Amino acid sequence: MIKLMEAIQSLFLGILQGLTEFLPVSSSGHLVIAQWILGFDLGEGILFEVSVHFATMFAILIFYKNEVKALAIGAVSANHDSLCYIGKLIIGTLPAVAVALLAKSWIEQQFELPGVTGLCLLVTGGIVWSTRYTIKKGIRLEPTYLEAFLIGCAQAIAIMPGISRSGSTVGVALALGLSPMAAAKFSFLLGVIAITGAGILLLPELTTVSGLLVQNIVLGVGSALISGLIALWLFVWLLQKQRFHLFAWYAWAVGITTLIAVFIAK
């Protein structure tokens, strides 16, 4: 019975991760809240979270397969435009790498504090709401190197549970003048590098993971991949329809509800 319940919980968290990864509502924040409310533990919380993030990374590669293929071919053939774009992705990754290396232990502690997640969701709501005023102004198809770094800084902040990675990076990209589709493309390709890097940092911890946790992770990864593809399509559709900012209300509602729940639980 216990194994069955953990399997169901893993599937639930995987679906939750996939649906919230690409929508601007913070997948990590939802995982923290779900685990806190439901009262279960799948082992190392951040390990499970990074594992299902890998699933959504593959969803990105599938969704943007043509763009990824073009960049790969361009890199091999030393195409100037492709190399420049890859260089900007690398520069945009540096802030998150610095934060992950310098504050890894502190960040892991924040995943155990639902109150922090609630506050961060309020911040996410503000970022997402700002796109209401910027989404119509963006026309450029690619950021400059400095802009790539600034978008990367937004991604670094989004390491915190409750700060949406997609919401913050796309929000900054739109504010800098990128078109909605260009902002989404850069944000998600940037995410591929960040997620891969996070997984590499956690590889040493895999030796301490139990067989049961591996089973839970497999279930979570499968459900996250499928739901992630659905959510990614919905994300792009919302950008095209200029309805992206409406998710601010959701982020604010969840954030306030979480803070109230934390206060009552004390």
Side-chain angles (χ1 to χ4, degrees), residues 232-243:
L232 184 52
W233 172 84
L234 180 59
F235 180 97
V236 173
W237 181 81
L238 287 169
L239 275 178
Q240 292 174 329
K241 297 298 181 180
Q242 298 185 359
R243 294 291 183 269

Side-chain angles (χ1 to χ4, degrees), residues 48 77 106 157 174 180 209 223:
F48 181 86
S77 61
W106 181 82
I157 295 173
L174 291 174
V209 178
S223 56

Side-chain angles (χ1 to χ4, degrees), residues 1 25 56 58 73 125 149 168 177 230 249 254 264:
M1 178 62 70
V25 295
T56 47
F58 283 111
I73 295 175
F149 179 78
S168 58
I230 296 173
W249 295 107
V254 176
I264 294 175

